[in-house]
PDB file of all heavy atoms in Angstrom:
ATOM      1  N   TYR A  35     115.019  99.036 119.829  1.00 95.00           N
ATOM      2  CA  TYR A  35     113.917  98.744 120.737  1.00 95.00           C
ATOM      3  C   TYR A  35     112.657  99.322 120.117  1.00 95.00           C
ATOM      4  O   TYR A  35     112.710 100.173 119.237  1.00 95.00           O
ATOM      5  CB  TYR A  35     114.114  99.444 122.093  1.00 95.00           C
ATOM      6  CG  TYR A  35     115.300  99.021 122.888  1.00 95.00           C
ATOM      7  CD1 TYR A  35     116.553  99.609 122.673  1.00 95.00           C
ATOM      8  CD2 TYR A  35     115.187  98.071 123.893  1.00 95.00           C
ATOM      9  CE1 TYR A  35     117.658  99.243 123.429  1.00 95.00           C
ATOM     10  CE2 TYR A  35     116.287  97.704 124.663  1.00 95.00           C
ATOM     11  CZ  TYR A  35     117.505  98.293 124.426  1.00 95.00           C
ATOM     12  OH  TYR A  35     118.591  97.932 125.175  1.00 95.00           O
ATOM     13  N   GLN A  41     103.689 102.394 126.388  1.00 71.00           N
ATOM     14  CA  GLN A  41     104.172 101.921 127.683  1.00 71.00           C
ATOM     15  C   GLN A  41     105.256 100.865 127.569  1.00 71.00           C
ATOM     16  O   GLN A  41     106.394 101.100 127.933  1.00 71.00           O
ATOM     17  CB  GLN A  41     103.004 101.357 128.498  1.00 71.00           C
ATOM     18  CG  GLN A  41     101.983 102.384 128.875  1.00 71.00           C
ATOM     19  CD  GLN A  41     101.061 101.906 129.959  1.00 71.00           C
ATOM     20  OE1 GLN A  41     101.502 101.397 130.991  1.00 71.00           O
ATOM     21  NE2 GLN A  41      99.775 102.067 129.755  1.00 71.00           N
ATOM     22  N   PHE A  91     113.143 102.809 118.740  1.00 94.00           N
ATOM     23  CA  PHE A  91     114.305 103.503 119.273  1.00 94.00           C
ATOM     24  C   PHE A  91     115.581 102.782 118.883  1.00 94.00           C
ATOM     25  O   PHE A  91     115.687 101.572 118.998  1.00 94.00           O
ATOM     26  CB  PHE A  91     114.256 103.546 120.802  1.00 94.00           C
ATOM     27  CG  PHE A  91     113.124 104.340 121.335  1.00 94.00           C
ATOM     28  CD1 PHE A  91     111.962 103.721 121.720  1.00 94.00           C
ATOM     29  CD2 PHE A  91     113.219 105.714 121.430  1.00 94.00           C
ATOM     30  CE1 PHE A  91     110.897 104.455 122.201  1.00 94.00           C
ATOM     31  CE2 PHE A  91     112.167 106.452 121.915  1.00 94.00           C
ATOM     32  CZ  PHE A  91     111.001 105.820 122.301  1.00 94.00           C
ATOM     33  N   GLY A 101     124.364  95.097 131.190  1.00 62.00           N
ATOM     34  CA  GLY A 101     124.397  95.615 132.544  1.00 62.00           C
ATOM     35  C   GLY A 101     125.613  96.455 132.839  1.00 62.00           C
ATOM     36  O   GLY A 101     125.702  97.052 133.900  1.00 62.00           O
ATOM     37  N   GLU A 103     127.173  98.436 130.107  1.00 76.00           N
ATOM     38  CA  GLU A 103     127.312  99.502 129.122  1.00 76.00           C
ATOM     39  C   GLU A 103     126.412 100.675 129.470  1.00 76.00           C
ATOM     40  O   GLU A 103     125.441 100.538 130.216  1.00 76.00           O
ATOM     41  CB  GLU A 103     126.965  98.981 127.730  1.00 76.00           C
ATOM     42  CG  GLU A 103     125.477  98.795 127.453  1.00 76.00           C
ATOM     43  CD  GLU A 103     124.887  97.533 128.032  1.00 76.00           C
ATOM     44  OE1 GLU A 103     125.539  96.870 128.851  1.00 76.00           O
ATOM     45  OE2 GLU A 103     123.747  97.204 127.668  1.00 76.00           O
ATOM     46  N   ARG A 112     108.370 107.266 115.011  1.00 94.00           N
ATOM     47  CA  ARG A 112     106.997 106.771 115.179  1.00 94.00           C
ATOM     48  C   ARG A 112     106.560 106.128 113.877  1.00 94.00           C
ATOM     49  O   ARG A 112     106.486 106.793 112.853  1.00 94.00           O
ATOM     50  CB  ARG A 112     106.063 107.928 115.524  1.00 94.00           C
ATOM     51  CG  ARG A 112     104.586 107.579 115.473  1.00 94.00           C
ATOM     52  CD  ARG A 112     104.157 106.703 116.624  1.00 94.00           C
ATOM     53  NE  ARG A 112     104.167 107.418 117.875  1.00 94.00           N
ATOM     54  CZ  ARG A 112     103.999 106.841 119.060  1.00 94.00           C
ATOM     55  NH1 ARG A 112     103.832 105.528 119.140  1.00 94.00           N
ATOM     56  NH2 ARG A 112     104.014 107.549 120.160  1.00 94.00           N
TER      57      ARG A 112
ATOM     58  N   TYR B  37     111.809 102.460 133.785  1.00 94.00           N
ATOM     59  CA  TYR B  37     111.937 101.130 133.213  1.00 94.00           C
ATOM     60  C   TYR B  37     113.112 100.422 133.877  1.00 94.00           C
ATOM     61  O   TYR B  37     114.142 101.032 134.167  1.00 94.00           O
ATOM     62  CB  TYR B  37     112.227 101.179 131.706  1.00 94.00           C
ATOM     63  CG  TYR B  37     111.062 101.613 130.869  1.00 94.00           C
ATOM     64  CD1 TYR B  37     110.932 102.930 130.453  1.00 94.00           C
ATOM     65  CD2 TYR B  37     110.075 100.695 130.481  1.00 94.00           C
ATOM     66  CE1 TYR B  37     109.869 103.336 129.670  1.00 94.00           C
ATOM     67  CE2 TYR B  37     109.008 101.096 129.701  1.00 94.00           C
ATOM     68  CZ  TYR B  37     108.910 102.416 129.302  1.00 94.00           C
ATOM     69  OH  TYR B  37     107.849 102.805 128.537  1.00 94.00           O
ATOM     70  N   ARG B  43     118.203  92.404 128.573  1.00 82.00           N
ATOM     71  CA  ARG B  43     117.926  93.580 127.733  1.00 82.00           C
ATOM     72  C   ARG B  43     116.439  93.890 127.591  1.00 82.00           C
ATOM     73  O   ARG B  43     116.094  94.934 127.047  1.00 82.00           O
ATOM     74  CB  ARG B  43     118.546  93.484 126.328  1.00 82.00           C
ATOM     75  CG  ARG B  43     120.041  93.445 126.340  1.00 82.00           C
ATOM     76  CD  ARG B  43     120.616  93.889 125.022  1.00 82.00           C
ATOM     77  NE  ARG B  43     122.042  93.695 124.960  1.00 82.00           N
ATOM     78  CZ  ARG B  43     122.934  94.473 125.556  1.00 82.00           C
ATOM     79  NH1 ARG B  43     122.528  95.492 126.253  1.00 82.00           N
ATOM     80  NH2 ARG B  43     124.211  94.231 125.449  1.00 82.00           N
ATOM     81  N   ASP B 100     105.108 114.100 120.401  1.00 80.00           N
ATOM     82  CA  ASP B 100     105.132 112.643 120.246  1.00 80.00           C
ATOM     83  C   ASP B 100     106.586 112.154 120.294  1.00 80.00           C
ATOM     84  O   ASP B 100     107.073 111.474 119.386  1.00 80.00           O
ATOM     85  CB  ASP B 100     104.480 112.218 118.926  1.00 80.00           C
ATOM     86  CG  ASP B 100     104.315 110.719 118.814  1.00 80.00           C
ATOM     87  OD1 ASP B 100     104.217 110.046 119.861  1.00 80.00           O
ATOM     88  OD2 ASP B 100     104.313 110.204 117.677  1.00 80.00           O
ATOM     89  N   ILE B 102     109.796 110.656 123.001  1.00 86.00           N
ATOM     90  CA  ILE B 102     110.180 110.153 124.323  1.00 86.00           C
ATOM     91  C   ILE B 102     111.686 110.291 124.469  1.00 86.00           C
ATOM     92  O   ILE B 102     112.434 109.987 123.544  1.00 86.00           O
ATOM     93  CB  ILE B 102     109.705 108.706 124.549  1.00 86.00           C
ATOM     94  CG1 ILE B 102     110.029 108.224 125.952  1.00 86.00           C
ATOM     95  CG2 ILE B 102     110.300 107.751 123.538  1.00 86.00           C
ATOM     96  CD1 ILE B 102     109.323 106.938 126.340  1.00 86.00           C
ATOM     97  N   ARG B 109     122.724 102.154 137.173  1.00 94.00           N
ATOM     98  CA  ARG B 109     122.975 100.726 137.390  1.00 94.00           C
ATOM     99  C   ARG B 109     122.834 100.450 138.875  1.00 94.00           C
ATOM    100  O   ARG B 109     123.592 100.981 139.683  1.00 94.00           O
ATOM    101  CB  ARG B 109     124.378 100.384 136.899  1.00 94.00           C
ATOM    102  CG  ARG B 109     124.635  98.928 136.677  1.00 94.00           C
ATOM    103  CD  ARG B 109     125.895  98.708 135.861  1.00 94.00           C
ATOM    104  NE  ARG B 109     125.786  99.232 134.522  1.00 94.00           N
ATOM    105  CZ  ARG B 109     126.565 100.202 134.023  1.00 94.00           C
ATOM    106  NH1 ARG B 109     127.499 100.759 134.752  1.00 94.00           N
ATOM    107  NH2 ARG B 109     126.403 100.619 132.783  1.00 94.00           N
TER     108      ARG B 109
END
Side-chain angles (χ1 to χ4, degrees):
Chain A
Y35 296 86
Q41 295 195 49
F91 295 97
E103 76 281 12
R112 169 72 70 189
Chain B
Y37 288 97
R43 296 202 187 283
D100 188 26
I102 184 167
R109 197 165 295 118

